PDB file of all heavy atoms in Angstrom:
ATOM      1  N   LYS Z1126     235.386 100.265-131.312  1.00  0.00           N
ATOM      2  CA  LYS Z1126     234.508  99.989-130.174  1.00  0.00           C
ATOM      3  C   LYS Z1126     235.198  99.090-129.161  1.00  0.00           C
ATOM      4  O   LYS Z1126     235.060  99.277-127.942  1.00  0.00           O
ATOM      5  CB  LYS Z1126     233.217  99.332-130.660  1.00  0.00           C
ATOM      6  CG  LYS Z1126     232.303 100.244-131.455  1.00  0.00           C
ATOM      7  CD  LYS Z1126     231.097  99.484-131.969  1.00  0.00           C
ATOM      8  CE  LYS Z1126     230.225 100.356-132.848  1.00  0.00           C
ATOM      9  NZ  LYS Z1126     229.061  99.617-133.393  1.00  0.00           N
ATOM     10  N   ALA Z1127     235.960  98.116-129.656  1.00  0.00           N
ATOM     11  CA  ALA Z1127     236.688  97.222-128.754  1.00  0.00           C
ATOM     12  C   ALA Z1127     237.708  98.001-127.933  1.00  0.00           C
ATOM     13  O   ALA Z1127     237.896  97.743-126.733  1.00  0.00           O
ATOM     14  CB  ALA Z1127     237.370  96.119-129.553  1.00  0.00           C
ATOM     15  N   LEU Z1128     238.365  98.978-128.563  1.00  0.00           N
ATOM     16  CA  LEU Z1128     239.328  99.817-127.848  1.00  0.00           C
ATOM     17  C   LEU Z1128     238.627 100.626-126.762  1.00  0.00           C
ATOM     18  O   LEU Z1128     239.117 100.725-125.627  1.00  0.00           O
ATOM     19  CB  LEU Z1128     240.038 100.751-128.835  1.00  0.00           C
ATOM     20  CG  LEU Z1128     241.019 101.763-128.225  1.00  0.00           C
ATOM     21  CD1 LEU Z1128     242.166 101.053-127.515  1.00  0.00           C
ATOM     22  CD2 LEU Z1128     241.550 102.703-129.311  1.00  0.00           C
ATOM     23  N   LEU Z1129     237.468 101.194-127.078  1.00  0.00           N
ATOM     24  CA  LEU Z1129     236.724 101.979-126.101  1.00  0.00           C
ATOM     25  C   LEU Z1129     236.251 101.113-124.935  1.00  0.00           C
ATOM     26  O   LEU Z1129     236.300 101.530-123.769  1.00  0.00           O
ATOM     27  CB  LEU Z1129     235.522 102.652-126.773  1.00  0.00           C
ATOM     28  CG  LEU Z1129     235.866 103.759-127.780  1.00  0.00           C
ATOM     29  CD1 LEU Z1129     234.626 104.142-128.578  1.00  0.00           C
ATOM     30  CD2 LEU Z1129     236.433 104.982-127.065  1.00  0.00           C
ATOM     31  N   ARG Z1130     235.804  99.893-125.240  1.00  0.00           N
ATOM     32  CA  ARG Z1130     235.380  98.989-124.161  1.00  0.00           C
ATOM     33  C   ARG Z1130     236.567  98.612-123.276  1.00  0.00           C
ATOM     34  O   ARG Z1130     236.431  98.531-122.045  1.00  0.00           O
ATOM     35  CB  ARG Z1130     234.728  97.738-124.746  1.00  0.00           C
ATOM     36  CG  ARG Z1130     233.314  97.971-125.262  1.00  0.00           C
ATOM     37  CD  ARG Z1130     232.601  96.664-125.539  1.00  0.00           C
ATOM     38  NE  ARG Z1130     233.183  95.957-126.670  1.00  0.00           N
ATOM     39  CZ  ARG Z1130     232.756  96.069-127.920  1.00  0.00           C
ATOM     40  NH1 ARG Z1130     231.741  96.867-128.212  1.00  0.00           N
ATOM     41  NH2 ARG Z1130     233.340  95.387-128.901  1.00  0.00           N
ATOM     42  N   ALA Z1131     237.728  98.403-123.897  1.00  0.00           N
ATOM     43  CA  ALA Z1131     238.929  98.077-123.122  1.00  0.00           C
ATOM     44  C   ALA Z1131     239.309  99.233-122.205  1.00  0.00           C
ATOM     45  O   ALA Z1131     239.691  99.027-121.040  1.00  0.00           O
ATOM     46  CB  ALA Z1131     240.083  97.736-124.060  1.00  0.00           C
ATOM     47  N   ALA Z1132     239.201 100.449-122.710  1.00  0.00           N
ATOM     48  CA  ALA Z1132     239.523 101.624-121.901  1.00  0.00           C
ATOM     49  C   ALA Z1132     238.553 101.767-120.729  1.00  0.00           C
ATOM     50  O   ALA Z1132     238.957 102.118-119.611  1.00  0.00           O
ATOM     51  CB  ALA Z1132     239.490 102.884-122.770  1.00  0.00           C
ATOM     52  N   THR Z1133     237.288 101.494-120.991  1.00  0.00           N
ATOM     53  CA  THR Z1133     236.289 101.554-119.919  1.00  0.00           C
ATOM     54  C   THR Z1133     236.599 100.527-118.834  1.00  0.00           C
ATOM     55  O   THR Z1133     236.457 100.804-117.636  1.00  0.00           O
ATOM     56  CB  THR Z1133     234.884 101.315-120.499  1.00  0.00           C
ATOM     57  OG1 THR Z1133     234.616 102.309-121.500  1.00  0.00           O
ATOM     58  CG2 THR Z1133     233.822 101.412-119.421  1.00  0.00           C
ATOM     59  N   LYS Z1134     237.044  99.348-119.272  1.00  0.00           N
ATOM     60  CA  LYS Z1134     237.432  98.314-118.308  1.00  0.00           C
ATOM     61  C   LYS Z1134     238.656  98.748-117.513  1.00  0.00           C
ATOM     62  O   LYS Z1134     238.702  98.608-116.279  1.00  0.00           O
ATOM     63  CB  LYS Z1134     237.720  97.014-119.063  1.00  0.00           C
ATOM     64  CG  LYS Z1134     238.066  95.840-118.164  1.00  0.00           C
ATOM     65  CD  LYS Z1134     236.875  95.380-117.368  1.00  0.00           C
ATOM     66  CE  LYS Z1134     237.202  94.128-116.565  1.00  0.00           C
ATOM     67  NZ  LYS Z1134     236.067  93.730-115.672  1.00  0.00           N
ATOM     68  N   ASP Z1135     239.659  99.298-118.200  1.00  0.00           N
ATOM     69  CA  ASP Z1135     240.870  99.748-117.514  1.00  0.00           C
ATOM     70  C   ASP Z1135     240.572 100.862-116.519  1.00  0.00           C
ATOM     71  O   ASP Z1135     241.253 100.985-115.485  1.00  0.00           O
ATOM     72  CB  ASP Z1135     241.912 100.229-118.528  1.00  0.00           C
ATOM     73  CG  ASP Z1135     242.520  99.088-119.338  1.00  0.00           C
ATOM     74  OD1 ASP Z1135     242.405  97.922-118.914  1.00  0.00           O
ATOM     75  OD2 ASP Z1135     243.091  99.367-120.413  1.00  0.00           O
ATOM     76  N   ALA Z1136     239.554 101.682-116.827  1.00  0.00           N
ATOM     77  CA  ALA Z1136     239.217 102.819-115.960  1.00  0.00           C
ATOM     78  C   ALA Z1136     238.663 102.375-114.611  1.00  0.00           C
ATOM     79  O   ALA Z1136     238.616 103.184-113.664  1.00  0.00           O
ATOM     80  CB  ALA Z1136     238.218 103.733-116.655  1.00  0.00           C
ATOM     81  N   GLU Z1137     238.265 101.116-114.488  1.00  0.00           N
ATOM     82  CA  GLU Z1137     237.733 100.631-113.213  1.00  0.00           C
ATOM     83  C   GLU Z1137     238.783 100.697-112.105  1.00  0.00           C
ATOM     84  O   GLU Z1137     238.437 100.731-110.917  1.00  0.00           O
ATOM     85  CB  GLU Z1137     237.211  99.203-113.369  1.00  0.00           C
ATOM     86  CG  GLU Z1137     235.978  99.095-114.258  1.00  0.00           C
ATOM     87  CD  GLU Z1137     235.535  97.656-114.476  1.00  0.00           C
ATOM     88  OE1 GLU Z1137     236.101  96.759-113.798  1.00  0.00           O
ATOM     89  OE2 GLU Z1137     234.626  97.424-115.291  1.00  0.00           O
ATOM     90  N   SER Z1138     240.064 100.733-112.476  1.00  0.00           N
ATOM     91  CA  SER Z1138     241.129 100.800-111.471  1.00  0.00           C
ATOM     92  C   SER Z1138     241.515 102.230-111.101  1.00  0.00           C
ATOM     93  O   SER Z1138     242.420 102.440-110.280  1.00  0.00           O
ATOM     94  CB  SER Z1138     242.370 100.049-111.965  1.00  0.00           C
ATOM     95  OG  SER Z1138     242.926 100.680-113.114  1.00  0.00           O
ATOM     96  N   VAL Z1139     240.840 103.221-111.662  1.00  0.00           N
ATOM     97  CA  VAL Z1139     241.148 104.623-111.372  1.00  0.00           C
ATOM     98  C   VAL Z1139     240.842 104.937-109.903  1.00  0.00           C
ATOM     99  O   VAL Z1139     239.765 104.610-109.393  1.00  0.00           O
ATOM    100  CB  VAL Z1139     240.343 105.554-112.300  1.00  0.00           C
ATOM    101  CG1 VAL Z1139     240.359 106.984-111.779  1.00  0.00           C
ATOM    102  CG2 VAL Z1139     240.907 105.508-113.715  1.00  0.00           C
ATOM    103  N   LEU Z1140     241.790 105.584-109.252  1.00  0.00           N
ATOM    104  CA  LEU Z1140     241.592 106.012-107.869  1.00  0.00           C
ATOM    105  C   LEU Z1140     241.554 107.529-107.726  1.00  0.00           C
ATOM    106  O   LEU Z1140     241.044 108.044-106.733  1.00  0.00           O
ATOM    107  CB  LEU Z1140     242.716 105.447-106.987  1.00  0.00           C
ATOM    108  CG  LEU Z1140     242.799 103.910-106.896  1.00  0.00           C
ATOM    109  CD1 LEU Z1140     244.009 103.503-106.066  1.00  0.00           C
ATOM    110  CD2 LEU Z1140     241.514 103.344-106.301  1.00  0.00           C
ATOM    111  N   HIS Z1141     242.126 108.235-108.727  1.00  0.00           N
ATOM    112  CA  HIS Z1141     242.185 109.693-108.696  1.00  0.00           C
ATOM    113  C   HIS Z1141     241.806 110.237-110.067  1.00  0.00           C
ATOM    114  O   HIS Z1141     242.040 109.570-111.090  1.00  0.00           O
ATOM    115  CB  HIS Z1141     243.590 110.168-108.310  1.00  0.00           C
ATOM    116  CG  HIS Z1141     244.094 109.584-107.025  1.00  0.00           C
ATOM    117  ND1 HIS Z1141     243.655 110.007-105.789  1.00  0.00           N
ATOM    118  CD2 HIS Z1141     244.989 108.583-106.794  1.00  0.00           C
ATOM    119  CE1 HIS Z1141     244.254 109.312-104.852  1.00  0.00           C
ATOM    120  NE2 HIS Z1141     245.068 108.436-105.429  1.00  0.00           N
ATOM    121  N   PRO Z1142     241.246 111.451-110.135  1.00  0.00           N
ATOM    122  CA  PRO Z1142     240.782 112.001-111.422  1.00  0.00           C
ATOM    123  C   PRO Z1142     241.856 112.051-112.506  1.00  0.00           C
ATOM    124  O   PRO Z1142     241.550 111.954-113.692  1.00  0.00           O
ATOM    125  CB  PRO Z1142     240.302 113.407-111.051  1.00  0.00           C
ATOM    126  CG  PRO Z1142     239.924 113.310-109.608  1.00  0.00           C
ATOM    127  CD  PRO Z1142     240.901 112.340-109.012  1.00  0.00           C
ATOM    128  N   GLY Z1143     243.127 112.194-112.115  1.00  0.00           N
ATOM    129  CA  GLY Z1143     244.195 112.293-113.107  1.00  0.00           C
ATOM    130  C   GLY Z1143     244.759 110.964-113.565  1.00  0.00           C
ATOM    131  O   GLY Z1143     245.610 110.930-114.459  1.00  0.00           O
ATOM    132  N   ASP Z1144     244.290 109.865-112.999  1.00  0.00           N
ATOM    133  CA  ASP Z1144     244.820 108.546-113.362  1.00  0.00           C
ATOM    134  C   ASP Z1144     244.445 108.187-114.798  1.00  0.00           C
ATOM    135  O   ASP Z1144     243.313 108.412-115.228  1.00  0.00           O
ATOM    136  CB  ASP Z1144     244.273 107.465-112.427  1.00  0.00           C
ATOM    137  CG  ASP Z1144     244.813 107.571-111.009  1.00  0.00           C
ATOM    138  OD1 ASP Z1144     245.733 108.376-110.794  1.00  0.00           O
ATOM    139  OD2 ASP Z1144     244.305 106.850-110.138  1.00  0.00           O
ATOM    140  N   ARG Z1145     245.386 107.589-115.524  1.00  0.00           N
ATOM    141  CA  ARG Z1145     245.131 107.107-116.881  1.00  0.00           C
ATOM    142  C   ARG Z1145     245.794 105.740-117.059  1.00  0.00           C
ATOM    143  O   ARG Z1145     246.770 105.585-117.788  1.00  0.00           O
ATOM    144  CB  ARG Z1145     245.655 108.095-117.931  1.00  0.00           C
ATOM    145  CG  ARG Z1145     244.950 109.445-117.953  1.00  0.00           C
ATOM    146  CD  ARG Z1145     243.496 109.325-118.376  1.00  0.00           C
ATOM    147  NE  ARG Z1145     242.857 110.629-118.521  1.00  0.00           N
ATOM    148  CZ  ARG Z1145     242.249 111.278-117.532  1.00  0.00           C
ATOM    149  NH1 ARG Z1145     242.223 110.749-116.319  1.00  0.00           N
ATOM    150  NH2 ARG Z1145     241.683 112.448-117.748  1.00  0.00           N
ATOM    151  N   PRO Z1146     245.264 104.707-116.407  1.00  0.00           N
ATOM    152  CA  PRO Z1146     245.902 103.391-116.478  1.00  0.00           C
ATOM    153  C   PRO Z1146     245.640 102.681-117.805  1.00  0.00           C
ATOM    154  O   PRO Z1146     244.756 103.048-118.578  1.00  0.00           O
ATOM    155  CB  PRO Z1146     245.234 102.628-115.330  1.00  0.00           C
ATOM    156  CG  PRO Z1146     243.872 103.248-115.230  1.00  0.00           C
ATOM    157  CD  PRO Z1146     244.075 104.710-115.550  1.00  0.00           C
ATOM    158  N   GLY Z1147     246.433 101.630-118.047  1.00  0.00           N
ATOM    159  CA  GLY Z1147     246.189 100.735-119.170  1.00  0.00           C
ATOM    160  C   GLY Z1147     246.161 101.438-120.510  1.00  0.00           C
ATOM    161  O   GLY Z1147     247.065 102.187-120.865  1.00  0.00           O
TER     162      GLY Z1147
END
Side-chain angles (χ1 to χ4, degrees):
K1126 291 176 184 178
L1128 176 62
L1129 292 168
R1130 284 193 292 267
T1133 302
K1134 183 69 175 175
D1135 289 342
E1137 292 176 8
S1138 65
V1139 165
L1140 298 176
H1141 306 284
D1144 291 351
R1145 295 294 185 272

